[in-house]
Amino acid sequence: MSSIDIFPRLDRLGLELGAEERQIVASVRDFAQRRVAPGAAERDRTGAFPVEVLRECVELGLHAMKVPAESGGAGADDVTYALVMEAVAEACASTAVVLASSNLTAKVLDAHATAAQRERWLRPYAEGRLGPASFALTEPSCGTDASALRTRATLDGDAWVLDGEKMWITSATHAGLHLVFARTDEAGPRSAEGISAFVVEAGTPGLVVGREEDKMGQRASGTAAVSFDGCRVPAAALVGERGRGYAVALSALGAGRVGIAALSIGLAEAALAEGLAYGTQRRAFGQALTEFQNTQFVLADSRTELDAAWLLTLRAARLLGRGDRASAETSMAKLFASETCARVVDRMVQLHGGYGYSREYAVERIYRDARVTRIYEGTSEAQRIVIAREMLRA
Ligand SMILES: Cc1cc2nc3c(=O)[nH]c(=O)nc-3n(C[C@H](O)[C@H](O)[C@H](O)COP(=O)(O)OP(=O)(O)OC[C@H]3O[C@@H](n4cnc5c(N)ncnc54)[C@H](O)[C@@H]3O)c2cc1C
């Protein structure tokens, strides 16, 4: 969908964007198609991190969208953030997920950092002096059950000493700072107790970033394990209250889910555009594929489900923007958008016939890029757990 096409669609989804938001969304869509999309296939082939593209994203403030302007960020709202994620993901999912994890970390720092921490880490990050940021929660032995994490942080004089290993950390290979969750105290009755959050700067002795994972899709997002071997950080690197780090992590997950819901929609919109273009020009039995009723039904189902995903995602973003509790709504958005993405992308590969299975066609990459949206930022099963829990709350 071009920049021009998006606004009538958004209007019909009931989204009344202000002039400033329209301007941001239009310029990001233009930037994404002009500067991000052209190298996406090559980055997928080589796995090269989008260093230059990210530099331009940083100039536009896309790495710190919800950080207020006084701290160097873009000061955007949740709806604008979702629209930006969607636009970038249409162009390149690897770049989008790097921005998603960076924005997640920036949001946590904005919400929980002290004034001194803001000056030391948030401002330089927001001003583009630190590169992307990573959000390091998952470990080799636990992902969904992240509260069972084993990385430890021990207080030694005026420093915390970290030991342990993180896994699947987006942007780890290029991040200038990592937000790391570690156990500082024995677990209480609930294993989430006793976890704390720390800022660890790239280059800190004892911080070792592993080899980049050889992934199915989103291959340019710098995913790697990160290990800590006697890694000393100053006492001032503790973010939020000691022992309350799990709550710190969860505080940003709603926004994270909306970001991945939007990313999923972006991938699906890109696939649908590819399918429409291909189906219109490819002929079989003397007619274009789009003249078969079966193709029309596939397109109609895809458009309908995608609009539903948009509506759920925009609702969740609006609720977050109002400061409402939105656990169920953000999970519904992420669940439905990522599952819809899978269905739409699969249908568009099918519409391409054998060509959909070839690396020469964008749908093949989109198909691989889409698969992980049902896994990271909480699996589809984890989202269902949240939704049901909210339904059953007394
Ligand atoms: C490309 C990529 C990038 C990532 N980026 C990051 C990142 O930047 N930072 C970060 O911290 N993590 C990141 N992750 C990790 C991601 O969040 C986890 O992989 C995800 O949460 C699932 O955890 P797991 O892999 O340990 O699977 P598990 O938790 O072992 O789950 C395995 C399966 O069991 C199911 N399951 C688990 N518990 C339940 C339950 N209670 N009920 C029903 N089913 C259940 C799951 O849904 C899943 O299907 C990334 C992962 C990938 C693949």
Side-chain angles (χ1 to χ4, degrees):
M1 218 188 312
S2 74
S3 297
I4 306 147
D5 295 330
I6 188 88
F7 293 112
R9 182 175 303 290
L10 292 179
D11 288 344
R12 294 183 76 81
L13 289 167
L15 188 67
E16 285 161 16
L17 284 180
E20 194 183 335
E21 285 75 26
R22 279 178 102 90
Q23 174 57 37
I24 294 171
V25 172
S27 64
V28 171
R29 294 189 72 79
D30 174 61
F31 162 75
Q33 289 306 317
R34 223 173 8 85
R35 302 290 303 153
V36 184
E42 177 67 4
R43 289 191 293 274
D44 170 63
R45 201 178 59 72
T46 62
F49 197 76
V51 175
E52 179 55 27
V53 162
L54 268 181
R55 195 187 56 69
E56 295 183 43
C57 290
V58 167
E59 278 171 18
L60 293 171
L62 306 189
H63 66 310
M65 291 230 37
K66 284 184 284 174
V67 174
E70 55 270 26
S71 292
D77 61 20
D78 291 86
V79 169
T80 308
Y81 173 63
L83 296 174
V84 163
M85 285 305 300
E86 192 276 335
V88 177
E90 266 191 52
C92 172
S94 288
T95 304
V97 76
V98 166
L99 292 175
S101 82
S102 290
N103 274 288
L104 189 63
T105 295
K107 185 173 165 55
V108 170
L109 288 179
D110 181 47
H112 299 279
T114 61
Q117 289 172 329
R118 296 178 83 84
E119 282 311 305
R120 180 159 178 186
W121 289 300
L122 185 58
R123 180 176 295 284
Y125 166 77
E127 290 176 355
R129 288 184 268 140
L130 293 179
S134 92
F135 184 88
L137 179 63
T138 303
E139 301 193 350
S141 63
C142 60
T144 305
D145 185 14
S147 64
L149 63 82
R150 295 181 188 165
T151 296
R152 295 204 72 88
T154 316
L155 197 55
D156 179 23
D158 61 355
W160 287 98
V161 182
L162 274 67
D163 289 282
E165 192 178 3
K166 297 291 173 182
M167 179 93 193
W168 299 117
I169 306 307
T170 299
S171 299
T173 54
H174 288 70
L177 68 82
H178 307 268
L179 186 68
V180 180
F181 296 87
R183 194 166 290 289
T184 44
D185 303 283
E186 288 314 312
R190 297 180 61 242
S191 58
E193 290 170 10
I195 293 170
S196 301
F198 298 90
V199 171
V200 182
E201 291 177 27
T204 305
L207 166 74
V208 181
V209 177
R211 197 171 44 82
E212 197 167 338
E213 298 294 339
D214 189 6
K215 307 194 300 292
M216 174 196 293
Q218 303 194 5
R219 292 178 53 76
S221 59
T223 315
V226 180
S227 59
F228 305 90
D229 182 11
C231 177
R232 292 177 79 85
V233 295
L238 173 73
V239 178
E241 255 178 77
R242 173 177 175 164
R244 300 278 301 145
Y246 202 62
V248 168
L250 295 187
S251 70
L253 283 188
R257 288 181 205 133
V258 169
I260 299 304
L263 184 154
S264 307
I265 292 172
L267 276 165
E269 290 286 3
L272 189 54
E274 293 290 332
L276 266 170
Y278 185 81
T280 309
Q281 61 84 23
R282 174 75 173 178
R283 297 182 74 79
F285 298 94
Q287 59 186 34
L289 297 182
T290 45
E291 289 173 48
F292 293 113
Q293 192 178 50
N294 173 67
T295 306
Q296 294 170 5
F297 283 8
V298 159
L299 293 173
D301 283 347
S302 298
R303 187 66 266 157
T304 305
E305 291 166 33
L306 254 174
D307 273 17
W310 269 107
L311 286 168
L312 283 176
T313 302
L314 293 172
R315 174 181 75 166
R318 278 199 206 98
L319 287 172
L320 284 183
R322 287 206 319 234
D324 287 2
R325 181 182 172 82
S327 305
E329 289 84 356
T330 54
S331 282
M332 286 182 213
K334 201 273 179 180
L335 172 65
F336 191 78
S338 59
E339 297 282 341
T340 296
C341 174
R343 285 191 299 275
V344 170
V345 172
D346 185 70
R347 289 171 190 149
M348 294 308 120
V349 169
Q350 190 70 13
L351 183 55
H352 276 70
Y355 295 102
Y357 204 61
S358 162
R359 297 228 157 166
E360 283 188 29
Y361 284 76
V363 283
E364 185 271 343
R365 167 170 48 86
I366 298 171
Y367 184 80
R368 287 183 290 104
D369 283 350
R371 186 60 184 87
V372 76
T373 62
R374 288 187 279 159
I375 296 173
Y376 61 25
E377 205 68 40
T379 61
S380 288
E381 293 75 27
Q383 307 308 334
R384 291 184 177 101
I385 291 170
V386 173
I387 296 162
R389 195 176 55 214
E390 290 295 301
M391 290 171 70
L392 297 170
R393 264 159 67 96

